[in-house]
Amino acid sequence: MNFTTSEENYIKCIYHLQQETGLVNTNALAGEMRTRPASVTDMLKKLKAKKLLQYERYKGFTLNEAGKKAALGVIRKHRLWEYFLAEVLKFDWDKVHPIAEELEHISNDELIQRLDKFLGNPSFDPHGDPIPDKNGKIPVRNQLVLSDVPVKKTVTVSAVSNQTVQMLEMLKHYQIALGTPLQVLQKFAFDGSLEIKVAKQAPCIISEQVAKNVFVHYEL
Amino acid sequence: MNFTTSEENYIKCIYHLQQETGLVNTNALAGEMRTRPASVTDMLKKLKAKKLLQYERYKGFTLNEAGKKAALGVIRKHRLWEYFLAEVLKFDWDKVHPIAEELEHISNDELIQRLDKFLGNPSFDPHGDPIPDKNGKIPVRNQLVLSDVPVKKTVTVSAVSNQTVQMLEMLKHYQIALGTPLQVLQKFAFDGSLEIKVAKQAPCIISEQVAKNVFVHYEL
DNA sequence: ATATTTTTTTAGCTTTGTCTAAATTTTAAT
DNA sequence: ATTAAAATTTAGACAAAGCTAAAAAAATAT
């Protein structure tokens, strides 16, 4: 099945919303898509006609299996391009998203297959989000928030949820990047701050606020 | 100035046509764009309104300076992506064009600047066509057809005009690729065939028909 | 249980890029 | 110099994707 750019954007957006809320409603989708509820209704009819979602008027909607598969295809393309932009072209993490939004709509299976191979079949994009494989299978990772990591445990940075310039500036100062190994040495109950060892550097202290925005993972 | 995908396609196409014919006419453009003359007229009005071409009804048209600059921008993107697809993702030459047709419309200056740098600021694409620089300057190359190369001269393969599967098969057999050094040893007047030395291999003979489709260049 | 508010849909309009068919202009031919 | 042919443009439609304003349905509150 072939989709327009607009259809792909809706499908992807519905997918993300239904991950959170199950049934998706018109207003929420309109908000997320930065469009009007009336436009959403129009598109829902098209997507229903293409048998990508279960939808009855006034009742909310969800992607069916075909819809989810289509969504994962788009997400796969998006995240592979993000990986390419960050790792190959050396863009900052916070710049890759809008460009990947455009690249993701280029439809050529061999292109994606070759890009994937060239990048070394990555499992996670530069934001730490999983890259579905060609069959739509999503890799899993034992991911948790740094503030929840038990003392002494060694983990690896896998994602950062707050990607403001301010946050990136802090992380740069601490020399924390994706893939950086960390060990939690001590937790201070007073303000929730953590003493951590970043890679092989001297221990340092980070605030709870920062720790809550850093995602880490561990093997097995 | 910002252009739609369709505008960019027209601009690029007009540019190529006016390289050959000077003044471009509606039917020729419609043929090249695989659309109808009426559609061309519609677009010409839009492009004229955007001050990209000189056009008066029934009189033919040409891109003005702004139009040429826009065209060269699209051509630059197209050829950089072709280079990427062939050299980095290892696509065959004859597969890259349609994909580059899609990629060329992604508009992000930093993307193109970084792609260019990553590729090593190439001057020619995998078809041997020059890649305009960011200012629209087109590199030149002392290019000629292999059949016109004087005896004993050493040259480098820069392009192949006939890119059918049959031709590529022949070239593969002779181990001739872009960048391959060649020396013309002898020309046979009887049928115009050439004895050439390909790289460091033993001399071989190619037909005039093949030689007429292989472009080569030399330094200085 | 009814009234009010919120959500969703419908109806009708806009823009972009395309089309067909008809009209017009230019070019070529007798 | 007309007439025939070819090229070009206009006029009017259509599909995609969006919008506004109004209607309809569902949810909520009294």
Side-chain angles (χ1 to χ4, degrees), chain A residues 141-159 175-187 194-200 206 210-211 213-220:
Chain A
R141 184 180 253 179
N142 302 299
Q143 186 168 268
L144 68 171
V145 178
L146 178 54
S147 54
D148 292 343
V149 173
V151 169
K152 286 192 179 164
K153 179 117 196 154
T154 296
V155 294
T156 303
V157 176
S158 55
Q175 302 204 48
I176 292 173
L178 291 188
T180 304
L182 296 181
Q183 188 179 16
V184 176
L185 302 176
Q186 204 176 154
K187 289 186 183 189
L194 270 64
E195 187 188 27
I196 60 172
K197 193 167 151 56
V198 178
K200 289 176 180 175
I206 65 170
V210 171
N213 283 290
V214 174
F215 286 85
V216 298
H217 68 100
Y218 52 91
E219 300 312 322
L220 267 189

Side-chain angles (χ1 to χ4, degrees), chain B residues 27-42:
Chain B
N27 271 2
L29 182 52
E32 205 66 30
M33 289 287 298
R34 303 160 131 274
T35 184
R36 297 299 176 166
S39 308
V40 168
T41 302
D42 289 343

